[in-house]
């Protein structure tokens, strides 16, 4: 610790003023702002990372960061702030928090965590900014979507048709004395016609 005093000549008198009777530098830290902030945005999230300059190694693990981001055309007064839970120099923003087609800008600052008792600091100045924009979600064409839908429906429809033909043939054999050569081939021909129609739709 240190004792800090101010000495000076005031109105012809030499006076000493005690500014800090006990001054501990580790309780009055202001770090340099984070450097080299960068970003990478996809359709699902935006990753932002940065580096530190002139920060002792024993402080890097007890730092906390605050991220501030906004739409590029808006003022910082309406920006969103996030105090990050980790001491790692990186953060991810979910795409649901960003509007599609809108450019955003972000910056970050740091200080010693408030949960730390051995050191204390104020927030650093804000870093330089990085600009990013959420990537658009690729749209599946309507033709591909319809084809896949028909493919998914083909199996249950075929199974239902077979089940219907089975019960139809069974009931017909009980109620009518028609020749099997006339009944089942006719049912089979109808089923084959429905299969051919379904395959034509899938093509």
């Amino acid at each position: 610790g240190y004792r800090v005093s101010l000495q000076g000549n005031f109105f012809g008198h030499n006076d000493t003023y005690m500014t800090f009777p006990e001054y501990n530098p580790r309780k009055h830290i202001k770090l340099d702002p984070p450097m080299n902030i960068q970003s990478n945005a996809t359709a699902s999230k935006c990753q932002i990372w940065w580096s530190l300059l002139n920060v002792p190694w024993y402080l890097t693990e007890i730092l906390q960061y605050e991220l501030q981001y906004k739409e590029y055309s808006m003022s910082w007064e309406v920006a969103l702030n996030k105090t990050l839970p980790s001491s790692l120099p990186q953060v991810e923003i979910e795409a649901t928090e960003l509007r599609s087609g809108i450019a955003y800008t972000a910056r970050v600052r740091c200080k010693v965590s408030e949960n730390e008792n051995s050191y204390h600091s104020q927030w650093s100045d804000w870093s330089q900014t990085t600009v990013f924009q959420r990537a658009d979600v690729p749209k599946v064409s309507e033709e591909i979507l319809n084809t896949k839908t028909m493919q998914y429906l083909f199996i249950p429809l075929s199974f239902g048709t077979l089940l219907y033909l089975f019960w139809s043939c069974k009931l017909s054999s009980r109620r009518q004395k028609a020749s099997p050569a006339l009944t089942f081939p006719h049912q089979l021909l109808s089923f084959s016609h429905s299969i051919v129609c379904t395959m034509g739709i899938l093509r």
Side-chain angles (χ1 to χ4, degrees):
Y2 296 84
R3 181 176 62 196
V4 180
S5 61
L6 177 64
Q7 297 180 349
N9 189 302
F10 302 95
F11 304 103
H13 298 283
N14 291 325
D15 296 312
T16 300
Y17 296 92
M18 190 65 63
T19 308
F20 297 103
E22 294 183 8
Y23 180 81
N24 194 331
R26 68 171 58 194
K27 298 291 186 178
H28 301 272
I29 299 173
K30 184 176 180 180
L31 300 169
D32 292 332
M35 304 288 291
N36 302 323
I37 182 170
Q38 301 179 58
S39 58
N40 180 45
T42 64
S44 60
K45 60 185 176 182
C46 174
Q47 296 177 314
I48 302 175
W49 65 95
W50 55 89
S51 57
L52 299 173
L53 181 67
N54 298 328
V55 177
W57 62 267
Y58 50 84
L59 292 181
T60 56
E61 296 183 356
I62 59 174
L63 293 182
Q64 70 179 84
Y65 298 95
E66 183 177 27
L67 176 73
Q68 191 176 61
Y69 67 98
K70 66 178 182 67
E71 294 183 15
Y72 189 81
S73 59
M74 303 295 287
S75 170
W76 285 110
E77 280 70 19
V78 297
L80 297 175
N81 289 61
K82 282 189 174 185
T83 301
L84 309 184
S86 172
S87 61
L88 296 177
Q90 61 186 35
V91 65
E92 290 185 354
I93 302 177
E94 296 297 329
T96 54
E97 302 181 40
L98 307 174
R99 296 171 57 191
S100 179
I102 300 297
Y104 287 81
T105 182
R107 60 186 184 180
V108 67
R109 61 181 180 175
C110 63
K111 73 172 185 177
V112 175
S113 173
E114 295 179 355
N115 298 324
E116 179 62 37
N117 296 323
S118 300
Y119 300 90
H120 181 76
S121 73
Q122 58 180 301
W123 283 111
S124 70
D125 294 332
W126 288 105
S127 69
Q128 298 295 318
T129 60
T130 181
V131 179
F132 57 91
Q133 181 174 324
R134 191 185 83 177
D136 292 332
V137 180
K139 296 182 179 180
V140 181
S141 66
E142 184 176 354
E143 181 180 354
I144 296 177
L145 183 61
N146 291 337
T147 301
K148 288 186 176 295
T149 302
M150 292 303 301
Q151 290 175 350
Y152 292 142
L153 291 177
F154 176 73
I155 294 178
L157 285 176
S158 300
F159 179 76
T161 303
L162 289 173
L163 188 62
Y164 168 77
L165 291 177
F166 174 78
W167 284 107
S168 179
C169 293
K170 190 173 183 179
L171 291 176
S172 297
S173 63
R174 291 181 179 179
R175 296 180 180 179
Q176 300 179 4
K177 295 181 179 181
S179 173
L182 297 177
T183 303
F184 184 74
H186 177 72
Q187 301 282 359
L188 184 60
L189 182 61
S190 300
F191 172 69
S192 300
H193 179 70
S194 64
I195 294 297
V196 171
C197 292
T198 304
M199 293 300 294
I201 293 175
L202 289 177
R203 291 179 183 176

